[in-house]
Structures are given as structure tokens and as C-alpha cells.
Amino acid sequence: MENTKAIKTALISVYHKDKLDAIVKLLNNYKVKIYSTGGTLDFISGCGVEAIPVEDLTGYPSILGGRVKTLHPKVFGGILARRDNENDQFQLSEYTIPEIDLVIVDLYPFEQTVASGASDPEIIEKIDIGGIALIRAAAKNYKDVVIVSNRDQYDSLIDILQNNHCSTSLEQRRVFATEAFATSSHYDTAIFTYFGNGFPQPAFRSSVNGVTPLRYGENPHQKGVFYGDMASLFDQLHGKEISYNNLLDIDAAVCLAKEFADPTVAILKHNNACGVATRQNIKDAWVDALAGDPLSAYGGVIIANRAIDEATAEEMNKIFFEVVLAPAYSEGALTILKSKKNRIILVLKDFQLPAYTQRSLLNGVLVQERDSHSEVPAELKVVTEKAPTAEQINDMLFANIIVKHSKSNSIVFAKNRQLIASGVGQTSRVDAVKHAIEKAHGFNFDLNGAVMASDAFFPFADSVENAAKAGVKAVIQPGGSVRDQETVDFCNANGLTMVVSGIRHFKH
């Protein structure tokens, strides 16, 4: 191995002690001299291994309530000294500073302390100073020093020490250093976010741990990767590797499905719903969701907010789809769904979506609060002479959820809590209405008595006029156009009911 270096001395100072005993005993077997501090020193001694207190090296005790323990030239000199630099080596000898070849250190749990709701003084005390300095120093001098910056690396270190007789290569040390700088960067970002005190922050900083390489990006000629913890989102029970485009549809599906409390199935294609239905049971929800657009459902992503049973799986298995998500599956359902070897089957976990969304563009990043507002009956203002029935209100709120999660300009037709048709991603609202009408008629849906939802106001009455001719009887929209009254007048003259929510739901 290139530039192999034996580990003769180690500094160990960690907050989390689990799995440390195996490393300590292994280092002891190789006669490695260990320096340590405080609780870590006690832990090492408890393992039956001798360690030297850092205070014996520095000549100073831990002071200021433990705030200063390792911040001393005899510690940092031994870490930062270049082994091939004569002047560095002379100074080590002059000041009796031992070389330190391995540093194992982790950081105070700052993020966990913030999440616990602790007080500001308690949070401030969890800002690590010595640990972060040790990490950066050892990582900077990776040509000579190994830095282990979190307990997730313990198994890798043990393998290397066992296989290489307590030695490391330059490549291995650089990998550890890279992970160390990722640790320090993430830690500093968390502290900055806390001090930034809400939204907006004075600068954009984001840090996401976990990486999953993808086969490619949106297209085969583009490289792609997912940063995040997939294991906290879902468990994959079956199927091929999840793709970049799968993840986009999965995200859209999860955001939509979280809006529904009753048994609901949604089918998505290219981030838009092509089928949604809410029913008394999940099988009926699937049958009616598929009926909304069985053509677009081919190759889509399916999400259910209830467990999928065998009867539902039998119906689902009649078409080709790429991904299915549900909170659970019966054994019989899994047997059926696994009949297609590439079909991705995911068990969806209960997790919270981030409060803010971000998108890179031009030479920067757009950040905004997530559109988490969902209208309720009390928020709706009836603006027509005719008031909606309770059934129409239910359908309008159902349609409004779907239109909120559809690409603008967007129009949704619904009846009996079933998506009948939608017009999405259109450059004009009139075109969105026309497209939705054509789709509804194409699948033999009767629009008479249906409701219409719009993600934004109607600039003119023409969209409502076209919908009314097709049979729509109730409309929900944000309102806010200077020509709102023209649309209301048309509704009054033709027996339609209209409510305004006051909330626009653009999605670009």
C-alpha cells in the first residue's frame, strides 16, 4: 500500500462510548500508546486497558467546567507535525511533544439537544470546541494521521487495523479525512441554522448526510445521486434499484397522499396525479383511481394510505406499474405483487416533510416555506346566490387537494371524491379546462354534477363558461382577479355555485 504508516500513538476523546471497547482492545494488542480525557479515560480503564490522561501530557487539568481539555500545543503539535519536515520534527523534540497517529473523537450532540427543546444555555454548552478543532487538525494532516470522527466509522477502522496490522494507507487516511470534513461542515451548518433564528437565514447553508448513487439522473446521459436517508422514509421489499425519476414521483406521491385521512389511492405519472379516489376500503379506492385514467396509469407510481390486502393486489397486478407505496401489505398481497421481478415495493414509514423546500437555479438557490395549507369548510366563502351542498363541499375540497399538487396551470374535475380528469402544466387556464374536458369525455365520464378546482384565479369568465357547458355545477378557486365579478355573474345566471378560498396554490 502507498505511504503505509503504522499507528503507534492514539488520542481518544468521545461523547458516545458504544462500540469503542473493541477498538481500544485492538489498539492495546498492538501496543499502541493511548491518551484520553475524562469519561473516555474512565471507560478505557474499565476495559482493562491502560491510557494516559491528557493532563499528564499538557501539564494542565481540564478547566472551565470541561470547556478546555485538549486545546494545547502538546496535543495539537503532535497531530499537526509533518513527519517529513525536519523543522517540525526538531520542534517536537525540543518541546517533548509525542507524535499522535490516530485521533478518535466525536462531537457533543448539538442537533439532538436543539431538537429536545432544551434551553438556550444548554444548547450553547453543546457547541463542541475541542472536538471540532481536533477533527480539523487531524484531517488537515491526513498524510500522517488517521481521523475517526464518528462512531459509524468504527467498523471500518477495525477492519483496516485487523487486515493491515494496525497500519493505514494514504488512500485510507484521505477517505477518513474527507468524512471528517463532512462531519465538521454538517456540525457548523447546524449551529449556523440555530443562530440564524428562523427564516430567512442570512446566507444559504444546507447539509444532508447519507448518499445513494443512482444509475443516472433524469436521463441516461446525466449522472445522478440522492443525498438523504432513504431508510428513514421507507423499506424496499422488492424490485430494482430506485431511479432518479422514481424518486421525483415518490416525493410527489407522498406529498399528495399525506393530505388524505380516509382510505385513498393515488396514481402518479411525471409528478402529477392521473388517478385519485377516496372510498370506504382500499380496493374500491384503487378501482376508481385507476378508472380516472387507465392509459396514463401504465408505468406509474401508486400510493395507498392504508395496508394493501390480497384482493387489492390482485386488481393492481392486472396492469404494469413501476412503484407501489403503502404503510403495510398482507402476505398474500406481497406474493402477488412480487410476481414482477422489477416492480419496486416500498413500505412507507411515518415521517415529517421538511418545513421548507429549496430549488437550485441560475447561480443560486430558491427557498420557500412548504405549501402546507389545506382548506377546510370554514375558510370557504360562498360568492354566488346558490350555496353548495355538503356533498359538493366535500368534492371541492377533494379536488382542491389534487389541484394543489398538480403542475400549474392546473384544473381538476371531480365527482363523488374521484378524480375524473385534470388539465395540468398548461400555459393558459382555458387550455387546462379544455384538456380536462377532453380527457373526461375520452374515458366516458359524465361531467354533469361534477366540481371544478383551479389552482389560481380565473382571469376571465371563459374557463367557467366552458366547464359549465360540459356539466360542471360547482367551482372552487382562490379568487382575486379584477374580473371576479364577471365569473360570479355567469355562475348566478346559469345556476352554478362558487366558493373562493383566498389561497392560491401555484406549483411550478
Side-chain angles (χ1 to χ4, degrees), residues 282 303-308 325-329 346-350:
I282 212 68
I303 187 165
N305 66 355
R306 296 290 193 280
I308 293 178
L325 302 96
Y329 304 83
L346 304 176
V347 176
L348 189 62
K349 297 181 179 181
D350 185 19

Side-chain angles (χ1 to χ4, degrees), residues 8 400 431 487:
K8 299 177 181 179
N400 204 56
D431 285 343
T487 305

Side-chain angles (χ1 to χ4, degrees), residues 79-248:
I79 295 171
L80 287 166
R82 291 157 289 190
R83 284 24 172 194
D84 59 357
N85 185 291
E86 289 186 11
N87 189 54
D88 286 5
Q89 292 301 304
F90 174 79
Q91 289 185 323
L92 289 185
S93 177
E94 182 180 10
Y95 296 109
T96 319
I97 300 174
E99 293 178 346
I100 296 176
D101 307 311
L102 168 65
V103 176
I104 303 176
V105 61
D106 60 12
L107 301 171
Y108 293 156
F110 179 82
E111 289 179 281
Q112 294 91 327
T113 304
V114 173
S116 73
S119 66
D120 186 68
E122 291 173 312
I123 291 170
I124 298 304
E125 285 307 307
K126 286 299 185 287
I127 297 177
D128 206 310
I129 303 301
I132 206 80
L134 290 169
I135 287 173
R136 291 178 63 84
K140 177 178 180 177
N141 201 26
Y142 74 90
K143 288 186 177 180
D144 298 306
V145 179
V146 186
I147 172 61
V148 177
S149 56
N150 68 74
R151 51 186 165 170
D152 292 337
Q153 299 170 311
Y154 286 1
D155 289 339
S156 296
L157 177 65
I158 290 171
D159 288 342
I160 290 171
L161 296 181
Q162 288 177 332
N163 295 330
N164 301 336
H165 305 290
C166 208
S167 298
T168 61
S169 69
L170 179 63
E171 180 182 357
Q172 289 166 341
R173 294 192 296 276
R174 187 178 179 95
V175 169
F176 278 112
T178 301
E179 294 181 358
F181 283 121
T183 296
S184 65
S185 173
H186 181 82
Y187 198 74
D188 285 341
T189 297
I191 295 170
F192 167 80
T193 300
Y194 175 75
F195 274 84
N197 194 28
F199 180 80
Q201 297 278 327
F204 177 76
R205 297 287 185 273
S206 181
S207 179
V208 180
N209 289 324
V211 57
T212 303
L214 305 174
R215 286 174 294 169
Y216 50 80
E218 202 161 6
N219 300 291
H221 65 279
Q222 297 170 272
K223 293 181 179 179
V225 65
F226 173 76
Y227 291 101
D229 182 11
M230 279 196 195
S232 68
L233 308 176
F234 43 72
D235 292 323
Q236 182 168 354
L237 303 182
H238 183 74
K240 62 183 180 180
E241 179 182 314
I242 298 173
S243 72
Y244 183 100
N245 291 329
N246 288 153
L247 286 170
L248 289 175

Side-chain angles (χ1 to χ4, degrees), residues 428-448:
S428 79
R429 204 152 298 279
V430 173
D431 285 343
V433 172
K434 289 180 178 178
H435 182 61
I437 292 172
E438 290 174 2
K439 288 196 71 173
H441 290 164
F443 293 111
N444 298 315
F445 277 108
D446 181 8
L447 286 173
N448 187 47

